[in-house]
Amino acid sequence: MYYTPETRWVFGAGGATNFNLGDSTATYESQAVFGVAYSLRKQFLSYANWRIFTDQNKNLLSGEVGWYDYVYFFLRHRE
């Protein structure tokens, strides 16, 4: 939960999991993360990303997917 003037209050939830697809002494730990959030200005954010190592690190599968109905405000530097 957080508050900004652009979003008002935002509520959300997320999670992460770590796991191993092979022998834990020969394979790196894999991770998957996900989250969703909704603002009182009817803005929505959802995302998932992952980094998965196969047995003995033969392959790495990584990626990210998300859908955002959200306005990002950027400050403009004035000289």
Side-chain angles (χ1 to χ4, degrees), residues 22-52:
D23 177 17
S24 63
T25 61
T27 306
Y28 296 137
E29 191 171 71
S30 299
Q31 184 176 55
V33 178
F34 66 92
V36 295
Y38 182 77
S39 82
L40 294 182
R41 293 203 181 211
K42 299 181 181 177
Q43 299 166 318
F44 181 76
L45 299 94
S46 65
Y47 69 90
N49 61 55
W50 56 91
R51 193 170 136 134
I52 300 171

